[in-house]
Amino acid sequence: MRALTWHGTHDVRVETVDDPEIINSRDAIIEITSTAICGSDLHLYDGAIPGVQPGDVLGHEFMGRVVETGKDSTLEKGQRVVVPFTISCGGCFHCKIQQYSACQNSNPAEKQDMSATLYGHPMAGLFGYSHLTGGYSGGQAEYVRVPFSDFGPIVVPDHLDDDQVLFLSDILPTGWMAAENAEIQPDDTVAVWGCGPVGLFAIQSAILMGASKVIAIDHYPNRLALAKQMGAEIIDFRKTSVREALMEMSGGIGVDAVIDAVGMEAHGFAIDNMIDIVKQKVGIGADRASVLKQALLAVRPGGRVSIPGVYGGMTDKFPTGALMEKGLQIRTGQTHVQRYTKDLLKKIEEGTVDTTFMISHRLPLEDAARGYKCFREEQDSWTKVVLKPGMKD
Amino acid sequence: MRNDRDLGLAGTVAGVGLALGGLAFGAFLTQRRKGGGDDAPFYTRKSPDSDDAVLGRTVTIRKPRAELYEFWHDFGNLPRFMENVETIRSEGDHRVWTIKAPGGRTVDVRTEVSEDTQNRRIAWRSVEGSDIETSGSVEFEDAPGQRGTRVSLVMSYDPPAGEVGRAIAKLFMREPEVQARHDLKRFKMLMETGEVATSARTKDQTRKAKQQENG
Ligand SMILES: NC(=O)c1ccc[n+]([C@@H]2O[C@H](COP(=O)([O-])OP(=O)(O)OC[C@H]3O[C@@H](n4cnc5c(N)ncnc54)[C@H](O)[C@@H]3O)[C@@H](O)[C@H]2O)c1
Ligand SMILES: [Zn+2]
Ligand SMILES: [Zn+2]
């Protein structure tokens, strides 16, 4: 089959690799119809996540048709499914309490040591996201092997097209969980850093949850315009002093909740960020956490901090004083996708959430490498790229 | 210390040493050692008070105690999650473990069950005259609430005496621990999900992965 493979920093290629096979009895093979490039993929593309190996097939946002099933899969050939990026068994301690992204049984035993050493506990398996999370082949390909197919994938009705439901695989639940983690109350003013797909869905979710004001921060005019279109007030961090503006826009109280939808590769020329950029270039494991630091200072005392943005290593000059002295709460994590897919599918069917507004480009899979390059270098106009293996160019 | 002599020795003892690593599971704790004055398991102490290499691990598995005990009690099941063990067959009162060794060879180790308390504990040890002296035990204990069962595996082996033995110990001390940890996780996977997780894309890759882990 054809698949997008990683070969090094800023080097991804569409190549021919072996087709996936059913290995375990709960597996299914899916023929991909649509798959997206995520901001998380850019961390791999930029070489900021350890444990990626040359030849690894990337992609964790995908959907398609079931073409083969193991004997214990509950899926049927021909069904159309969206697959959560988190691989979860459904039966372990964490799955039973709906902490699906902490599943204890999806990351192969021999792959767990690396993340256990880094984080104190192993990570769960994720599709196409380095060997820290299992080294599973991802979905930017014609076919993919899906373990625990009786538990994760959600069957979608034919009257909804791919573009409407594809994002149930990651960014829609991620934006939703980001807002949920911010514990939004009706009178809240909420600040969201980053107007990429995750930030945009977080904005939409925060508004649906009843926030009285959402303030979106970025520097790309087109992305800020999308945030405005979703109902947010906007701040361009290149032109405006963010902390001062947030204080004023929240009536001098400070924002009640902050959402960091940027993560470890923040842009900008703040001095701490420049130092962190250098560290990230010379070694593994240094996170550029300038957005998180800003957010901790901007949030009001007793406020809530939600971090959907991905971090993978360590950071220094972390404002522990602001955290403690202001009595803040922090919630974060890889999204527990399976917890949200059903409800969000309903919201899509009812028309309560809009999922297609951010798609800027649809490309054949063969053009995936160009998709990565442009999504990274022309972020303003390339807001979300969907790859279609069947598409003729 | 890593002089030429050590390296020469390494070659000659590699087979035995790796077999030891593979045998991590076929090992058994013959005697309880004194605790360190706190409530933590003895094998987590910073300076073990024994010359034996002792390893211990606990996992919580969401299954009833009896079911896990039953599965383990049938030693023939163990190779399903112990990657280095090819087969375990019964010969009278003994179990013969066939363990993968480098270069496609295998090593047999003969063990006997030294304790069997239903739904609680199974212990085994190598019989007299075995090339490798090892012992192991697995314990099943109810976890709080609905969490299932705590499964603890402890094993030890006497590093063979003399210079050769010390070289083996030095070279392979870590390996059994890693192997034990992985095997116990696979046991949990098999019990909770019915299968052992693999990220291989093709069947070929799974075999390769196994060989790799066997070194
Ligand atoms: N928690 C999860 O499960 C999960 C899932 C998906 C994505 N993510 C993470 O969420 C983050 C966003 O993903 P995305 O797909 O929207 O990525 P993206 O790269 O498309 O968007 C990031 C946005 O942040 C903006 N930004 C950069 N520096 C900024 C700064 N200093 N202040 C304000 N804005 C800034 C960029 O201009 C860009 O628009 C990434 O870190 C991604 O890895 C997490
Ligand atoms: Zn994603
Ligand atoms: Zn699980």
Side-chain angles (χ1 to χ4, degrees):
Chain A
M1 65 169 181
R2 301 291 284 167
L4 186 281
T5 54
W6 185 94
H7 290 273
T9 303
H10 302 154
D11 182 3
V12 292
R13 308 169 198 165
V14 176
E15 295 180 324
T16 301
V17 302
D18 292 334
D19 284 359
E21 295 170 326
I22 299 275
I23 295 170
N24 281 330
S25 61
R26 293 171 65 182
D27 292 353
I29 305 290
I30 311 291
E31 179 179 15
I32 309 288
T33 52
S34 294
T35 172
I37 305 177
C38 178
S40 298
D41 292 328
L42 292 183
H43 302 320
L44 304 174
Y45 189 62
D46 291 339
I49 301 259
V52 197
Q53 293 171 9
D56 283 354
V57 178
L58 306 188
H60 59 270
E61 302 183 356
F62 56 89
M63 63 176 295
R65 290 219 178 257
V66 179
V67 290
E68 215 184 321
T69 54
K71 75 171 172 37
D72 294 321
S73 172
T74 48
L75 296 176
E76 286 161 26
K77 275 184 206 168
Q79 272 178 330
R80 218 166 134 244
V81 293
V82 179
V83 181
F85 78 94
T86 40
I87 306 175
S88 315
C89 76
C92 70
F93 169 71
H94 288 289
C95 285
K96 287 295 176 193
I97 56 173
Q98 296 202 317
Q99 294 178 346
Y100 301 112
S101 71
C103 175
Q104 298 167 317
N105 292 325
S106 57
N107 196 348
E110 64 279 8
K111 307 264 180 175
Q112 291 188 12
D113 292 341
M114 207 190 330
S115 55
T117 306
L118 272 173
Y119 307 135
H121 288 78
M123 291 183 76
L126 305 178
F127 286 104
Y129 214 72
S130 92
H131 290 256
L132 280 180
T133 58
Y136 284 93
S137 284
Q140 287 162 4
E142 288 180 295
Y143 299 93
V144 65
R145 169 184 164 246
V146 176
F148 307 130
S149 65
D150 55 321
F151 183 72
I154 180 165
V155 179
V156 290
D158 279 341
H159 68 267
L160 297 173
D161 54 54
D162 279 20
D163 290 354
Q164 284 176 285
V165 290
L166 172 62
F167 300 145
L168 284 170
S169 57
D170 176 358
I171 50 173
L172 179 58
T174 296
W176 187 266
M177 186 168 109
E180 199 176 83
N181 279 346
E183 289 175 42
I184 289 160
Q185 313 292 313
D187 299 331
D188 276 357
T189 299
V190 180
V192 179
W193 275 258
C195 297
V198 170
L200 291 169
F201 276 138
I203 291 164
Q204 200 180 14
S205 305
I207 289 170
L208 279 171
M209 290 176 194
S212 86
K213 188 190 282 195
V214 177
I215 303 167
I217 304 148
D218 205 306
H219 60 121
Y220 290 124
N222 190 43
R223 291 184 170 214
L224 284 167
L226 286 173
K228 193 154 204 159
Q229 183 190 318
M230 295 322 290
E233 296 181 10
I234 57 172
I235 295 176
D236 179 342
F237 72 81
R238 301 246 182 216
K239 296 183 182 145
T240 299
S241 156
V242 174
R243 194 166 7 137
E244 220 178 305
L246 288 177
M247 275 304 275
E248 294 307 304
M249 291 163 87
S250 59
I253 292 178
V255 288
D256 301 283
V258 289
I259 298 177
D260 170 0
V262 178
M264 65 204 275
E265 296 190 83
H267 310 161
F269 295 102
I271 181 70
D272 64 328
N273 200 37
M274 295 312 291
I275 294 169
D276 290 342
I277 287 175
V278 173
K279 281 193 212 144
Q280 211 167 46
K281 287 249 185 294
V282 297
I284 359 165
D287 288 339
R288 272 145 58 189
S290 75
V291 163
L292 183 53
K293 293 170 195 172
Q294 270 182 45
L296 287 167
L297 294 187
V299 66
R300 71 160 166 82
R304 286 96 53 190
V305 181
S306 163
I307 315 170
V310 163
Y311 293 89
M314 317 234 174
T315 190
D316 46 28
K317 303 288 185 301
F318 191 78
T320 40
L323 179 64
M324 190 278 161
E325 302 295 354
K326 293 204 287 183
L328 305 179
Q329 291 180 43
I330 296 191
R331 294 179 69 188
T332 179
Q334 296 285 353
T335 305
H336 305 301
V337 179
Q338 291 88 337
R339 198 196 278 173
Y340 304 100
T341 41
K342 241 190 176 157
D343 284 355
L344 289 173
L345 176 61
K346 211 165 128 222
K347 287 194 165 58
I348 293 168
E349 283 200 278
E350 289 165 351
T352 334
V353 294
D354 183 1
T355 48
T356 56
F357 72 96
M358 65 178 64
I359 302 176
S360 57
H361 295 79
R362 295 171 183 82
L363 305 175
L365 177 66
E366 291 299 321
D367 271 1
R370 184 167 71 95
Y372 269 80
K373 192 170 187 319
C374 296
F375 183 48
R376 178 178 180 278
E377 290 172 7
E378 298 165 43
Q379 287 220 314
D380 185 36
S381 49
W382 288 64
T383 42
K384 188 75 182 175
V385 185
V386 177
L387 306 168
K388 312 239 175 199
M391 186 173 157
K392 298 272 164 289
D393 40 0
Chain B
M1 189 184 76
R2 202 162 242 288
N3 53 38
D4 287 344
R5 228 174 126 218
D6 264 12
L7 289 173
L9 202 54
T12 59
V13 302
V16 185
L18 277 190
L20 241 180
L23 196 68
F25 261 78
F28 158 48
L29 180 72
T30 40
Q31 56 189 165
R32 291 262 151 192
R33 283 159 199 84
K34 273 184 249 111
D38 60 17
D39 293 327
F42 66 88
Y43 50 77
T44 61
R45 296 198 57 200
K46 285 181 177 165
S47 47
D49 47 12
S50 160
D51 292 339
D52 290 4
V54 181
L55 335 153
R57 278 284 158 177
T58 301
V59 291
T60 301
I61 303 182
R62 273 183 70 92
K63 288 288 169 185
R65 205 145 45 86
E67 189 180 330
L68 301 178
Y69 167 86
E70 282 305 324
F71 188 89
W72 199 291
H73 196 255
D74 180 355
F75 276 70
N77 279 331
L78 306 191
R80 289 177 65 187
F81 60 88
M82 294 182 178
E83 295 248 289
N84 275 0
V85 181
E86 215 152 74
T87 56
I88 301 178
R89 63 178 196 279
S90 292
E91 274 185 18
D93 282 348
H94 292 168
R95 304 280 187 288
V96 181
W97 304 52
T98 301
I99 292 156
K100 294 172 197 162
R105 284 171 300 147
T106 59
V107 178
D108 279 0
V109 175
R110 192 172 283 266
T111 64
E112 65 189 4
V113 171
S114 54
E115 188 189 331
D116 186 356
T117 311
Q118 199 182 10
N119 298 344
R120 294 225 160 270
R121 185 164 195 272
I122 305 170
W124 59 95
R125 66 175 162 230
S126 51
V127 298
E128 208 142 332
S130 175
D131 276 354
I132 303 161
E133 269 184 60
T134 64
S135 51
S137 74
V138 61
E139 265 179 48
F140 307 92
E141 184 196 346
D142 288 335
Q146 300 299 303
R147 293 187 180 201
T149 305
R150 285 183 178 162
V151 181
S152 304
L153 177 79
V154 174
M155 50 202 140
S156 76
Y157 59 92
D158 287 325
E163 201 173 357
V164 175
R166 274 197 301 280
I168 292 177
K170 194 171 141 212
L171 283 168
F172 299 106
M173 197 74 96
R174 268 196 58 77
E175 177 65 22
E177 183 169 359
V178 172
Q179 190 65 39
R181 185 166 72 235
H182 293 174
D183 284 349
L184 201 51
K185 285 188 167 167
R186 288 186 198 102
F187 177 52
K188 175 180 162 69
M189 288 172 179
L190 190 59
M191 294 295 97
E192 288 184 339
T193 75
E195 57 191 47
V196 173
T198 171
S199 58
R201 189 168 67 236
T202 63
K203 290 178 188 140
D204 264 13
Q205 288 173 348
T206 53
R207 278 195 293 276
K208 234 184 271 166
K210 273 183 196 165
Q211 279 156 6
Q212 253 170 23
E213 210 196 4
N214 290 341

